[in-house]
């Protein structure tokens, strides 16, 4: 089994900061890409940021310059530092990992359970 557990969500005022973390555990051979999606009420899930094993990153235009994604390959963790938060950043944030469980197996995407971020005064 593989588990992804997120932490760090909460309530923050506009302009504030939060740091989300996600740890992958279980039967894991290698993790290619990790990242974060978010889903606001009544909206589709959207990509926030991704990071590869080699630390190449990609961001949604709406968060560029405000959010920073990082990962620790040795610990199978990914983090999202969110600064200058805006009310429109309010959403449930989900981490994911595209990984292989065995050397010859196929890679699949696994998801965390989500953590809520609310930006409000």
């Amino acid at each position: 089994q593989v588990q992804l557990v997120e932490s760090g969500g909460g309530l923050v005022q506009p302009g504030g900061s939060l740091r989300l973390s996600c740890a992958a555990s279980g039967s894991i051979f290698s993790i290619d890409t990790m990242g974060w999606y978010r889903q606001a009420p009544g909206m589709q899930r959207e990509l926030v940021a991704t990071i590869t094993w080699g630390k190449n990153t990609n961001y949604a235009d709406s968060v560029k310059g405000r959010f920073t994604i990082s990962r620790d390959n040795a610990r199978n963790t990914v983090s999202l530092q969110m600064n200058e938060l805006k009310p429109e950043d309010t959403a449930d944030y989900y981490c994911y990992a595209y990984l292989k469980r065995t050397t010859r197996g196929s890679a699949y995407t696994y998801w965390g359970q989500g953590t809520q971020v609310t930006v409000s005064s």
Side-chain angles (χ1 to χ4, degrees):
Q1 286 186 337
V2 173
Q3 280 191 318
L4 274 69
V5 179
E6 299 123 333
S7 60
L11 173 65
V12 64
Q13 291 186 341
S17 297
L18 279 177
R19 184 177 181 86
L20 305 182
S21 296
C22 174
S25 63
S27 179
I28 299 171
F29 171 71
S30 65
I31 302 178
D32 181 19
T33 304
M34 302 185 81
W36 296 88
Y37 276 72
R38 68 185 180 186
Q39 187 167 20
M43 304 292 285
Q44 289 187 333
R45 190 174 292 192
E46 63 173 357
L47 173 71
V48 177
T50 64
I51 185 166
T52 66
W53 173 266
K55 307 292 178 74
N56 292 313
T57 59
N58 181 50
Y59 295 93
D61 288 342
S62 59
V63 306
K64 282 181 181 176
R66 300 187 298 122
F67 291 10
T68 302
I69 190 170
S70 60
R71 68 185 278 179
D72 184 329
N73 290 333
R75 296 174 183 263
N76 290 338
T77 60
V78 62
S79 296
L80 185 69
Q81 178 66 42
M82 305 185 294
N83 299 328
E84 301 175 34
L85 282 160
K86 305 175 181 181
E88 50 264 42
D89 294 317
T90 295
D92 291 325
Y93 284 69
Y94 299 87
C95 76
Y96 79 93
Y98 184 64
L99 62 86
K100 296 176 67 174
R101 296 184 61 188
T102 62
T103 58
R104 296 185 178 185
S106 299
Y108 294 95
T109 299
Y110 293 82
W111 293 90
Q113 80 286 356
T115 186
Q116 189 173 50
V117 171
T118 302
V119 185
S120 174
S121 55

